[in-house]
Amino acid sequence: MQPETARLILRRPRLTDAPALFEFLGDAEAMRYTHVDASLRACRRRIALHEWRRRRNGYAPWTVVAKASGQIIGWGGLYEDPFDPGWGVEVGYFFHPAAWGRGYASELMAACTAIADEVLRVPEITAFAHPENGGSRRVLEKAGFEPVRFVPEMERMLFRRGGQALPSAE
């Protein structure tokens, strides 16, 4: 499955994407509210572990490509975190700073929630946002996520969105 939105191509990451992804996933300022990859090797490991989970679960983050330019501008989607398991199906999104403020996260989020509801039919999705990351919190709230609680060990708020009502099997 390679979903597209009006402005985005969401495709499986390739290890050759790692240098472009590391430009922002390894940028301490860009990733100040979340995990930052310490090296290109760590970025490749993140991609490989998530792809292993995709083979197991059928979903994992995509490389986000802008249709207009063909450039890699982000990484994100639905996943079960191989680095911090136990939170269920999560959604996450990480964008190059040059792509911030253009509505790409909301566009990616709409694709993710549609897939979660219509294809995967998961009962709920979780997400995390740092309390000071107002942009990320607004994206989540606009997509129907509600804050649940602060998770001190992660220094982030846990958000949850219940899935759409599923038709009965009658």
Side-chain angles (χ1 to χ4, degrees):
M1 170 184 358
Q2 181 172 297
E4 292 188 12
T5 68
R7 301 179 297 158
L8 305 173
I9 297 168
L10 310 174
R11 66 166 173 75
R12 290 177 72 152
R14 305 172 191 130
L15 288 180
T16 56
D17 293 344
L21 294 171
F22 183 65
E23 281 185 29
F24 56 93
L25 295 175
D27 179 340
E29 179 59 24
M31 302 297 286
R32 70 184 171 274
Y33 296 124
T34 188
H35 172 82
V36 61
D37 287 335
S39 66
L40 183 57
R41 182 176 184 216
C43 187
R44 284 188 181 109
R45 181 173 182 260
R46 172 181 302 279
I47 294 167
L49 283 173
H50 277 285
E51 283 305 293
W52 178 83
R53 294 298 287 246
R54 182 188 312 277
R55 288 188 297 278
R56 189 176 132 205
N57 299 335
Y59 54 90
W62 297 290
T63 293
V64 180
V65 178
K67 283 183 180 179
S69 66
Q71 297 295 309
I72 293 172
I73 60 167
W75 192 69
L78 299 164
Y79 59 92
E80 289 183 36
D81 195 338
F83 299 96
D84 193 6
W87 297 100
V89 179
E90 294 181 48
V91 65
Y93 40 88
F94 312 93
F95 286 90
H96 191 288
W100 292 355
R102 297 183 183 184
Y104 293 132
S106 293
E107 200 167 322
L108 173 63
M109 180 64 74
C112 290
T113 55
I115 289 167
D117 294 345
E118 299 162 18
V119 178
L120 300 174
R121 301 172 67 84
V122 296
E124 72 177 25
I125 310 167
T126 58
F128 292 93
H130 192 280
E132 294 177 16
N133 190 345
S136 189
R137 288 192 350 262
R138 281 188 296 280
V139 166
L140 292 170
E141 290 167 358
K142 190 164 74 170
F145 284 76
E146 296 180 354
V148 176
R149 66 182 173 90
F150 182 72
V151 181
E153 61 272 21
M154 296 174 80
E155 296 183 356
R156 291 186 224 142
M157 288 293 300
L158 169 66
F159 286 77
R160 181 171 291 136
R161 177 189 176 275
Q164 300 303 308
L166 303 176
S168 66
E170 298 173 4

